[in-house]
Amino acid sequence: MDAEPRECVSERPARRRRVDWRQWAPLTLLTVAGLVGAGLWLAGLRGVAQLIWAAVTVVALVPTTWATLRQLWRRQFGVDVIAVLALLGTLLTREYLAGAVIAVMVATGQALENYAERRASRDLRALLERAPRRARRRTADGSIEVVPLDQVSVGDRLVVGPGDVVPVDGTVEEPATLDESVVTGESRLVTRAAGEQVASGVVNAGAGFGLRARKSAAESTYAGIVRLAEEATARKAPMVRLADRYAAAFVPFTLVVAGVAWALSGQFLRAVAVLVVATPCPLLLATPIAIVSGLSRVARRGVLVRDGGSLELLGRARTLLMDKTGTLTAGRPRAAETVVAPGGDRNEVLRLAASVEQLSPHVLAAALVRQAREQGLRLQEPTDVTEEPGRGVTGRVAGRLVRVGQLAGEPPDWAHRVRERAELAGRSTVWVSDDRAPLGAILLEDPVRPDARRTVRRLRESGLNRLVMVTGDRPRTAQQVAQTVGVDDVIAECSPQQKVDRVKEESGRAVTVMVGDGVNDAPALAEAHVGVAMGATGATASADVADAVLTVDRLDRLADAVEIARYARRIAVQSATVGMGLAVVAMVAAAAGGLPPVAGAFLQEGIDVLVIVNALRALRGGLRRQDVPPETRELLDRYAGEHHGVRDVLDRLRDTADLVATRPDAPECVPALREVHRRLVDEVLPHEAAEERHLYPAVAGLLGSAEATSTMSRGHVEIGRLVDRIGGHLAQHLDGRLRHDEVPDLLAALYGLDAVLRLHLAQEEEDYFSLNPEEGPAAGR
């Protein structure tokens, strides 16, 4: 790396560690004044004490009245009018001690509200504080200049120094170690290889690296997150609809009780006592504290919700509509299988295709190149590359002509079988040919996310009782995904307008959430009660209209958000209900003359403290998912990574089975069987044995008991039995030829092992590897 200027490009402010006493000054002064008055009262100076208490009451009354008048001017009728009437009533009846207690109570509530909101919204503020302002850009002469962020353009070559925030979405030019917690919510460091894409907002936790800008600052991931954070911070308490609904009934009820008490007894003091005990801090404070706490917690889980009203709606949702691509599936194709012509080499076919596709911007080309690099294949620079839209790419690799795309001419018999297999499996086919004939085909699929089925189960457990998948894909493909993840209904070949119509229909029955990631999902997201965008994929159009954005590319974070939203709403309702219930009991006692204003003020103070402390519980709890210990995470990552090698053996196993099925007399049959059996014994069985010894005991605790892994252990036994069965057949063939009478049993063992092992891998990835807070290596394959 070139030398870099050592200034703080991201301009992150230092975190303040000292208490801001200005926030607590009003409460401190009023409390001290009240205590001084109490001391003077005990000393016999009752007139002076009364004067001090009256002053304390006036000091609280003036700003509270002003705030209430401003609300009334904006045609907002809130519960704080009761506090104003209570303070005014104590002055008129000369119950100055009760007024002072109410004043301290109001100041205490405001201080607790400020403290709780600062604590609850600190994650949102942290996003704003971390926003980069400038970037280091390489110039034409090789030097580095520091420029304002809005001057960065697509294609610029930037330098990200140690500790810097990545300023724009881009592609790393060399390996980089990153802290992505601010965007994903996960604290683990990740390593990105050269050529991988990174999102703006993540922090460079290693050495400096080069970055090629993919988007401008305004269009990058972090800019959208900051916009949402600003909206969420600006719209906290005023948007809490729950408190407004309670206030609409509670304020008139309080005024009626106070009026009746005054009318029946003829004592204005009883009306004042009713107003004193009805001072509604449970509504003024407890409900917003619980909701804002929920906003903070979902932000830490990688979900940004625009406001408290959206969070409350999320907590009441009963129906969920999900787009398939990018939501339930990975959203990007992967090479699921490579099929070659008889006698061909799978790795060579993939290597040739990926070499030619290196210069293509097509999404399928990226999938081929990524797959080849994951397998460690050495790609060569192609020459004479031409691309015909809709047809494919042609180029030369080491002088050899290679075509990648559609198949020209009449396909051979083996190619017909490949087409049928791809159609049945719902996969796309990319043909690889030379100047003579097709060399092979690469079958591409958009895989279901490993955590999708577990997430669907968690969404049901959180209270969403109707789950619908909407997609523009073909019915066969859509139905396969729907059956895999376990949704209630599926709508295939669905246009954007049909998605909107379906959202309207479902919204008429229950509070509805819509999740999508593409530009075509934006209208449906806007129509739903709560629209959720998969913002990590960069779909800014859908994110701009959504009520919430998943800043990490994981659907299970939505389940976290729903659980937190329900918990925060439950705490808010509980705090408001208990607080008002106790207040009503006290109001009845005060109306009957059994609770004078001073005693009522102290009682109400205790009620307020109780409900506010209860509301702060929303900062913790409510999540069903267990935290995964670091050592278990390492095991999950390790064995998820090994699945790639197992799948490679599986491909060889399937090719060998096809060879035995179609040409059992071919001289290469037995050698192919011996090679695949060797790899099964040397690679697959040790992997399964290590999982049995190390991984399964580690995840058993997370799943509840050792019984939770018993069926998977039985799968290990069956895999070993089938491998031994294949080995038994090979032991009888020293002459290197197969007998026709044993072919059926051998095929049963080969195809049976293929099916059992594929199912076993899928179950492990769904049930075990999805426990990992970050997607394991197997997730993208």
Side-chain angles (χ1 to χ4, degrees):
M1 295 296 299
D2 297 335
E4 303 167 3
R6 299 308 308 156
E7 59 183 288
C8 183
V9 175
S10 58
E11 296 182 352
R12 298 190 301 274
R15 181 179 293 179
R16 292 182 301 176
R17 297 181 180 275
R18 292 182 300 177
V19 175
D20 188 354
W21 292 107
R22 290 174 298 179
Q23 301 289 340
W24 299 92
L27 171 62
T28 304
L29 293 175
L30 291 177
T31 303
V32 170
L35 292 176
V36 168
L40 293 173
W41 178 277
L42 295 176
L45 300 175
R46 298 190 174 186
V48 179
Q50 292 275 26
L51 184 61
I52 292 176
W53 289 334
V56 169
T57 304
V58 172
V59 168
L61 176 62
V62 171
T64 307
T65 302
W66 176 246
T68 303
L69 291 176
R70 284 190 302 173
Q71 287 183 342
L72 293 175
W73 179 258
R74 294 193 297 265
R75 297 182 180 180
Q76 297 175 353
F77 183 71
V79 291
D80 45 5
V81 67
I82 299 176
V84 172
L85 294 176
L87 288 169
L88 185 60
T90 58
L91 289 176
L92 294 176
T93 58
R94 298 185 178 183
E95 291 286 343
Y96 300 127
L97 176 56
V101 173
I102 296 174
V104 173
M105 176 178 61
V106 172
T108 301
Q110 291 173 346
L112 283 174
E113 179 183 25
N114 292 334
Y115 166 75
E117 289 187 353
R118 287 197 308 274
R119 178 179 174 183
S121 62
R122 62 187 176 189
D123 298 287
L124 300 179
R125 293 198 314 274
L127 291 172
L128 307 180
E129 293 171 353
R130 295 166 65 95
R133 303 287 185 267
R134 293 176 288 166
R136 297 188 180 98
R137 183 171 63 187
R138 293 186 186 275
T139 61
D141 59 4
S143 61
I144 298 174
E145 61 178 354
V146 178
V147 297
L149 202 58
D150 57 6
Q151 293 184 15
V152 175
S153 303
V154 176
D156 282 354
R157 295 187 64 206
L158 310 177
V159 174
V160 182
D164 282 352
V165 175
V166 174
V168 296
D169 292 0
T171 303
V172 297
E173 297 181 327
E174 52 217 299
T177 301
L178 303 172
D179 174 5
E180 299 184 346
S181 59
V182 68
V183 175
T184 67
E186 293 297 335
S187 58
R188 288 192 299 170
L189 300 181
V190 297
T191 300
R192 300 297 179 193
E196 288 195 62
Q197 296 179 358
V198 297
S200 57
V202 304
V203 178
N204 180 14
F209 63 89
L211 180 78
R212 176 80 67 172
R214 283 193 308 115
K215 294 183 179 179
S216 66
E219 297 174 342
S220 289
T221 300
Y222 200 66
I225 294 174
V226 167
R227 285 195 297 270
L228 286 171
E230 289 173 339
E231 293 178 17
T233 304
R235 293 200 244 165
K236 290 181 299 220
M239 294 299 293
V240 180
R241 304 170 185 169
L242 188 65
D244 295 339
R245 289 198 298 269
Y246 278 119
F250 188 71
V251 172
F253 173 76
T254 300
L255 296 178
V256 168
V257 172
V260 170
W262 185 8
L264 293 180
S265 66
Q267 299 178 17
F268 180 62
L269 188 63
R270 290 195 182 186
V272 173
V274 170
L275 294 173
V276 166
V277 296
T279 304
C281 282
L283 287 177
L284 288 171
L285 305 177
T287 300
I289 287 171
I291 298 298
V292 174
S293 297
L295 287 174
S296 170
R297 293 193 63 204
V298 297
R300 290 202 299 271
R301 302 304 301 170
V303 184
L304 280 179
V305 181
R306 288 187 185 273
D307 52 55
S310 298
L311 186 79
E312 187 200 336
L313 281 173
L314 189 62
R316 294 195 293 123
R318 289 292 178 268
T319 301
L320 174 66
L321 283 81
M322 298 169 284
D323 182 48
K324 177 184 78 69
T325 304
T327 303
L328 292 171
T329 65
R332 60 179 186 178
R334 71 171 171 96
E337 185 179 358
T338 302
V339 183
V340 296
D345 182 276
R346 176 186 290 103
N347 287 341
E348 179 64 10
V349 169
L350 179 58
R351 188 188 72 84
L352 291 172
S355 295
V356 171
E357 293 279 24
Q358 287 180 96
L359 303 181
S360 174
H362 198 280
V363 64
L364 298 182
L368 297 182
V369 174
R370 182 170 58 249
Q371 185 76 5
R373 286 175 173 165
E374 287 178 352
Q375 294 187 15
L377 302 180
R378 186 178 61 85
L379 304 186
Q380 293 178 273
E381 184 175 351
T383 58
D384 301 332
V385 177
T386 59
E387 183 165 1
E388 184 180 353
R391 300 290 299 176
V393 179
T394 301
R396 292 188 179 274
V397 179
R400 182 180 183 181
L401 181 68
V402 178
R403 295 189 180 93
V404 182
Q406 293 188 6
L407 187 61
E410 182 64 24
D413 290 341
W414 68 269
H416 279 295
R417 292 193 295 270
V418 171
R419 279 182 170 173
E420 292 174 359
R421 182 192 299 183
E423 179 65 26
L424 289 174
R427 294 170 173 172
S428 303
T429 307
V430 175
W431 296 95
V432 184
S433 311
D434 59 11
D435 54 354
R436 297 186 300 274
L439 303 174
I442 301 172
L443 307 187
L444 298 167
E445 67 177 359
D446 183 11
V448 175
R449 294 172 179 265
D451 62 326
R453 189 173 181 85
R454 178 183 292 276
T455 299
V456 166
R457 290 199 300 266
R458 287 189 58 216
L459 288 166
R460 290 190 190 281
E461 292 170 358
S462 67
L464 291 165
N465 51 32
R466 178 165 170 77
L467 305 178
V468 181
M469 187 182 82
V470 290
T471 178
D473 277 355
R474 296 170 297 175
R476 177 188 289 272
T477 303
Q479 194 62 42
Q480 288 176 348
V481 175
Q483 291 175 349
T484 299
V485 301
V487 296
D488 299 310
D489 195 7
V490 56
I491 301 102
E493 296 181 337
C494 191
S495 67
Q497 182 58 48
Q498 289 173 321
K499 287 184 181 180
V500 172
D501 294 340
R502 190 54 185 254
V503 170
K504 287 181 179 178
E505 180 183 340
E506 297 290 346
S507 297
R509 303 191 190 106
V511 177
T512 299
V513 179
M514 170 70 193
V515 185
D517 78 321
V519 173
N520 62 335
D521 295 323
L525 295 180
E527 187 65 36
H529 288 107
V530 182
V532 181
M534 301 288 286
T537 59
T540 54
S542 57
D544 285 344
V545 302
D547 301 293
V549 173
L550 294 170
T551 63
V552 56
D553 192 24
R554 286 182 63 93
L555 182 61
D556 63 343
R557 298 306 174 84
L558 176 61
D560 291 347
V562 172
E563 289 178 356
I564 291 171
R566 293 203 188 284
Y567 183 70
R569 185 176 184 276
R570 186 164 64 249
I571 293 295
V573 172
Q574 182 186 88
S575 298
T577 303
V578 171
M580 288 191 301
L582 294 174
V584 168
V585 173
M587 288 163 59
V588 172
L595 194 64
V598 174
F602 281 108
L603 176 62
Q604 183 61 36
E605 178 80 7
I607 294 173
D608 293 339
V609 171
L610 173 66
V611 297
I612 290 171
V613 170
N614 184 67
L616 288 172
R617 291 170 50 220
L619 287 167
R620 298 180 180 275
L623 276 176
R624 288 182 172 87
R625 184 169 67 178
Q626 282 184 282
D627 289 332
V628 181
E631 58 274 12
T632 305
R633 288 188 184 187
E634 293 176 5
L635 288 173
L636 291 168
D637 282 341
R638 171 187 166 187
Y639 291 108
E642 291 181 5
H643 271 202
H644 175 65
V646 175
R647 291 187 186 281
D648 184 60
V649 178
L650 265 175
D651 291 339
R652 297 293 182 182
L653 176 66
R654 179 61 182 263
D655 287 347
T656 303
D658 291 345
L659 177 62
V660 173
T662 57
R663 296 189 297 149
D665 295 327
E668 61 266 26
C669 258
V670 172
L673 278 169
R674 293 194 187 281
E675 174 59 20
V676 77
H677 181 263
R678 181 195 64 79
R679 294 194 63 183
L680 287 167
V681 172
D682 294 346
E683 299 177 32
V684 176
L685 293 186
H687 166 81
E688 306 296 338
E691 284 186 330
E692 192 71 41
R693 288 194 307 271
H694 304 297
L695 179 63
Y696 286 13
V699 300
L702 296 173
L703 299 175
S705 71
E707 291 299 317
T709 61
S710 60
T711 55
M712 301 298 287
S713 296
R714 179 64 180 84
H716 285 165
V717 173
E718 184 64 15
I719 291 167
R721 188 185 69 82
L722 290 171
V723 172
D724 289 342
R725 186 168 161 188
I726 296 170
H729 279 282
L730 286 173
Q732 302 174 19
H733 294 288
L734 300 177
D735 59 350
R737 304 189 69 84
L738 294 176
R739 298 193 315 270
H740 284 279
D741 62 331
E742 66 177 335
V743 168
D745 186 71
L746 182 58
L747 286 175
L750 291 169
Y751 285 122
L753 179 60
D754 177 77
V756 170
L757 195 48
R758 288 184 189 276
L759 176 61
H760 183 74
L761 296 181
Q763 287 175 321
E764 283 187 336
E765 290 166 5
E766 176 187 316
D767 294 337
Y768 300 163
F769 299 156
S770 64
L771 293 171
N772 202 349
E774 291 185 357
E775 290 186 61
R781 290 189 290 274

